[in-house]
C-alpha cells in the first residue's frame, strides 16, 4: 500500500526513520531480546539509536510515545520493547494510548494488517508533536493507526522512529 495515496492515512505521518535494516541477523537478535528474555540486548542498540534520534528528531520537541502492548503481552514478556528503546534514548515514555484485544500483529499477514481495524484507543491529549517509537516497522500499519488517532485529535505532527525496517 502506498500510504500517501490512502484517503485515510495520507499525511498522518511526517516521516519514519529506522536505525537498521531488518534481516536474518536482526530477526535472531529481536527473537532473543523480545521472546527469549535477553533484555540486556537492547543496550547494544543505544549508541546507534541516540545518533539517529539526534540527527532526525532532537529539534522537533516531541513527546516520545511507546507502542502499547496488551496486558497479556506485557505479562508474558515482562517488558514493553518500545519503552526499553525510549529508555535507551534517555527519556521516559508518554502514554497516549491503550490497546483493544491482545492479538499479535506478527501473526497476521500483510493484507490482514493493512485492512485491520485500529486496535488502539487514544486516552491522552496530544498538545505538541509526537514521536512514536517501536522496534520493527513491517507494513507501517501500527504507526499509521496511532498517527491517524493523534492527528484526528489535533496533534500538530507525528513522526516515528523504529529500530528496524
Amino acid at each position: 500500500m502506498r500510504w500517501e495515496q490512502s484517503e485515510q492515512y495520507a499525511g498522518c505521518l511526517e516521516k519514519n526513520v529506522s536505525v537498521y535494516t531488518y534481516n536474518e541477523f536482526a530477526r535472531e537478535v529481536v527473537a532473543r531480546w523480545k521472546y527469549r528474555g535477553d533484555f540486556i540486548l537492547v543496550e547494544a542498540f543505544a549508541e546507534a539509536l541516540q545518533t539517529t534520534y539526534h540527527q532526525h528528531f532532537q529539534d522537533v520537541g516531541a513527546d516520545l510515545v511507546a507502542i502499547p502492548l496488551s496486558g497479556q503481552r506485557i505479562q508474558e514478556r515482562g517488558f514493553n520493547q518500545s519503552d526499553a528503546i525510549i529508555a535507551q534514548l534517555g527519556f521516559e515514555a508518554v502514554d497516549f494510548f491503550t490497546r483493544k484485544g491482545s492479538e499479535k500483529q506478527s501473526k497476521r499477514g500483510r493484507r490482514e494488517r493493512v485492512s485491520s481495524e485500529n486496535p488502539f484507543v487514544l486516552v491522552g491529549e496530544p498538545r505538541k508533536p509526537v514521536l512514536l517509537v517501536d522496534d520493527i516497522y513491517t507494513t507501517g500499519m501500527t504507526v499509521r493507526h496511532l498517527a491517524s488517532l493523534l492527528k484526528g485529535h489535533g496533534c500538530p505532527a507525528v513522526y516515528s522512529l523504529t529500530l528496524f525496517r
Side-chain angles (χ1 to χ4, degrees):
M1 170 177 250
R2 299 280 177 221
W3 293 113
E4 292 309 313
Q5 295 171 2
S6 163
E7 229 175 81
Q8 186 174 4
Y9 298 107
C12 68
L13 189 66
E14 305 301 319
K15 69 176 177 179
N16 175 75
V17 175
S18 300
V19 178
Y20 301 108
T21 299
Y22 194 60
N23 56 24
E24 284 304 313
F25 178 74
R27 184 183 318 268
E28 178 57 32
V29 170
V30 169
R32 286 185 60 180
W33 173 44
K34 281 175 57 174
Y35 308 119
R36 292 186 220 136
D38 207 348
F39 182 79
I40 198 79
L41 281 175
V42 71
E43 293 180 10
F45 308 125
E47 187 175 332
L49 276 165
Q50 291 166 8
T51 298
T52 302
Y53 173 82
H54 289 291
Q55 287 174 341
H56 296 276
F57 301 110
Q58 182 176 5
D59 297 330
V60 299
D63 285 328
L64 277 66
V65 175
I67 309 305
L69 298 179
S70 68
Q72 178 185 349
R73 197 75 55 237
I74 284 282
Q75 199 165 25
E76 288 169 2
R77 194 173 296 158
F79 69 97
N80 178 321
Q81 70 276 4
S82 297
D83 281 330
I85 293 169
I86 291 170
Q88 292 304 308
L89 292 169
F91 297 97
E92 278 191 37
V94 176
D95 292 328
F96 279 128
F97 301 100
T98 60
R99 189 178 191 108
K100 301 181 265 184
S102 61
E103 188 174 354
K104 290 181 179 179
Q105 288 290 314
S106 62
K107 299 296 179 193
R108 293 180 170 177
R110 180 178 191 80
R111 184 171 290 175
E112 280 182 285
R113 287 181 187 203
V114 171
S115 64
S116 67
E117 181 182 324
N118 193 333
F120 304 105
V121 177
L122 183 68
V123 294
E125 205 171 305
R127 297 186 190 276
K128 62 185 205 178
V130 166
L131 176 61
L132 300 167
V133 179
D134 202 3
D135 58 343
I136 304 170
Y137 180 112
T138 306
T139 64
M141 193 71 246
T142 298
V143 293
R144 281 185 173 69
H145 275 313
L146 296 165
S148 174
L149 286 170
L150 288 163
K151 292 293 271 215
H153 286 81
C155 186
V158 183
Y159 307 89
S160 65
L161 169 64
T162 58
L163 190 54
F164 297 103
R165 180 172 184 176

